[in-house]
């Protein structure tokens, strides 16, 4: 059976792994998922990630980040735009999760970036998800 929303699958796997305290997780790779994970790394929500070809299938290995007390850096993730209802935003109305305490990940014509960066580049796009 084919997956209708691979990005929601990525976010669910990250959410479940952080709740269980896993150090790493593996996700079937795609270009969009790799770009979202890259943004998470740049913003400090995960330690690292690697693209690996495992038995012919490309896989993204994500290494999760925890605080000294053992609490996950990622407190929550939420899918905003979905296949049944796409959500777009211009750069003037870019969402700010938790009043700037989190990030919005946006797919723009200049690539997948944070909402803050999209606003500074003055480009709008599809609001993929929010992370805090």
């Amino acid at each position: 059976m084919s997956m209708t929303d691979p990005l929601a699958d990525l976010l669910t796997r990250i959410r479940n792994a952080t709740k269980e305290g896993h150090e790493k997780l593996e996700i079937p790779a795609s270009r969009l998922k790799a770009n979202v994970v890259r943004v998470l790394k740049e913003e400090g929500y995960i330690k690292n990630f690697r693209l690996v070809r495992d038995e012919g299938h490309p896989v993204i290995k994500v290494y999760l980040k925890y605080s000294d007390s053992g609490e996950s850096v990622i407190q929550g993730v939420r899918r905003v735009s979905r296949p049944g209802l796409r959500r777009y935003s211009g750069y003037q109305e870019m969402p700010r999760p938790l009043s700037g305490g989190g990030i919005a990940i946006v797919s723009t014509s200049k690539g997948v970036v944070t909402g803050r960066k999209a606003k500074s580049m003055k480009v709008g796009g599809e609001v993929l998800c929010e992370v805090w």
Side-chain angles (χ1 to χ4, degrees), residues 33-44:
K33 291 179 190 178
N35 285 326
V36 168
V37 172
R38 176 188 49 80
V39 170
L40 290 174
K41 166 120 173 61
E42 288 172 358
E43 292 297 311

Side-chain angles (χ1 to χ4, degrees), residues 43-92:
E43 292 297 311
Y45 285 99
I46 61 173
K47 277 186 195 173
N48 206 354
F49 73 96
R50 284 191 0 222
L51 291 167
V52 181
R53 229 168 172 25
D54 200 25
E55 297 176 14
H57 298 287
V59 172
I60 302 172
K61 288 189 179 184
V62 179
Y63 299 91
L64 300 172
K65 191 175 188 179
Y66 294 92
S67 66
D68 293 335
S69 63
E71 196 172 317
S72 174
V73 173
I74 297 175
Q75 295 297 309
V77 291
R78 185 173 72 94
R79 181 80 157 110
V80 177
S81 183
R82 50 193 174 90
L85 181 62
R86 299 292 184 187
R87 304 278 178 148
Y88 297 93
S89 178
Y91 72 91
Q92 300 95 337

